Amino acid sequence: MKRSVSLDEQVAEQIDIAAREDGVSFSGWLSAAAEHQLILRSGRRAMAEWDREDPLTDVERAAARTALDRALAEKSRGRG
């Protein structure tokens, strides 16, 4: 399906660079990024539903935040 979208010029330039680096077309890169965001969105909704049905304790939430912060820090340092 063909769609027309407007993008900030700097964002479009960064997508163009990323697409070339990944060896895909501009629209292929955008499509993959959109699909990734939809998967994350679905996962967040599922987690929210699960949490409504069986909420985590404050201790479990704190442990999860700590683990996530650690994982994100490692990823940003190139270890993930």
Side-chain angles (χ1 to χ4, degrees), residues 26-43:
F26 187 95
S27 38
W29 194 94
L30 272 180
S31 182
E35 183 177 1
H36 179 76
Q37 285 300 311
L38 290 169
I39 290 167
L40 292 176
R41 186 174 195 229
S42 176

Side-chain angles (χ1 to χ4, degrees), residues 12-22:
E13 288 172 4
Q14 291 175 345
I15 293 169
D16 203 26
I17 291 166
R20 279 196 306 268
E21 288 175 354
D22 293 351

Side-chain angles (χ1 to χ4, degrees), residues 49-77:
E49 181 179 330
W50 175 76
D51 193 39
R52 280 191 300 276
E53 294 172 3
D54 188 16
L56 295 173
T57 66
D58 290 341
V59 171
E60 290 169 325
R61 281 184 196 285
R65 283 191 182 104
T66 299
L68 179 59
D69 288 346
R70 187 178 310 119
L72 291 173
E74 288 176 6
K75 183 175 176 99
S76 71
R77 289 191 299 263

